[in-house]
């Protein structure tokens, strides 16, 4: 991958940075949500900027990467987020969802685990 130089990258909410000045991207794990997706470390700025965009989206603007690679990375990131959300749903609500919507969250959670562990069988 090559860094695209002298390109202005949007971080969201009116924040922009030059692509060749970004030195690190760190996904926000705790308190992640709208407006808080990624810490962006920028040359000559002592504290990271908080981006409302995911690290994958910012990275896609910074580097020249094949579209398919970026799409696959974004899809895996989405699966991680869905898995984290499903994992927090308790057994009583799961039972209710299964009954009312015929949606088996346990099965979906297991399938996502298989995909994330690369034990996918087609």
């Amino acid at each position: 991958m090559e860094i695209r130089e002298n390109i202005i990258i949007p971080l969201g909410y009116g924040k922009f940075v030059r692509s060749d000045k970004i030195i690190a991207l760190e996904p926000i794990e705790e308190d992640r949500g709208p407006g808080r997706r990624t810490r962006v470390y920028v040359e000559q700025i002592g504290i990271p900027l908080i981006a409302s965009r995911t690290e994958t989206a910012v990275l896609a603007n910074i580097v020249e990467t094949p579209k398919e690679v970026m799409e696959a990375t974004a899809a895996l990131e989405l699966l991680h987020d869905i898995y984290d959300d499903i994992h927090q749903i308790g057994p009583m609500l799961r039972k209710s969802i299964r009954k009312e919507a015929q949606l088996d969250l346990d099965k979906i959670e297991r399938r996502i685990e298989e995909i994330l562990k690369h034990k996918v069988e087609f």
Side-chain angles (χ1 to χ4, degrees):
M1 288 188 266
E2 287 189 37
I3 302 291
R4 297 167 58 193
E5 293 186 23
N6 300 317
I7 302 293
I8 299 297
I9 304 298
L11 301 180
Y13 293 104
K15 297 178 191 173
F16 297 87
V17 135
R18 247 179 58 183
S19 58
D20 53 338
K21 298 297 180 184
I22 296 174
I23 54 175
L25 299 171
E26 178 185 18
I28 294 174
E29 299 294 332
E30 292 184 26
D31 298 322
R32 181 181 174 104
R36 291 187 50 79
R37 301 273 189 212
T38 308
R39 286 183 194 88
V40 181
Y41 295 86
V42 181
E43 217 174 84
Q44 298 180 348
I45 297 179
I47 59 172
L49 300 175
I50 303 299
S52 64
R53 301 175 69 215
T54 65
E55 62 280 2
T56 306
V58 175
L59 186 61
N61 289 143
I62 296 172
V63 298
E64 295 177 21
T65 304
K67 183 179 177 184
E68 296 81 13
V69 171
M70 295 308 295
E71 288 173 349
T73 303
L76 283 173
E77 183 179 294
L78 176 61
L79 278 178
H80 276 286
D81 289 345
I82 292 169
Y83 177 81
D84 290 343
D85 290 343
I86 289 174
H87 194 68
Q88 294 178 24
I89 298 172
M92 293 196 60
L93 182 55
R94 285 175 186 247
K95 184 177 179 180
S96 178
I97 291 170
R98 189 178 310 115
K99 181 179 177 184
E100 295 295 321
Q102 290 76 45
L103 187 62
D104 187 346
L105 294 179
D106 294 330
K107 182 179 176 182
I108 293 170
E109 186 176 37
R110 283 191 304 274
R111 182 72 174 130
I112 291 173
E113 283 175 350
E114 291 171 3
I115 291 169
L116 295 178
K117 292 179 182 176
H118 302 289
K119 296 180 181 177
V120 181
E121 292 182 23
F122 293 99

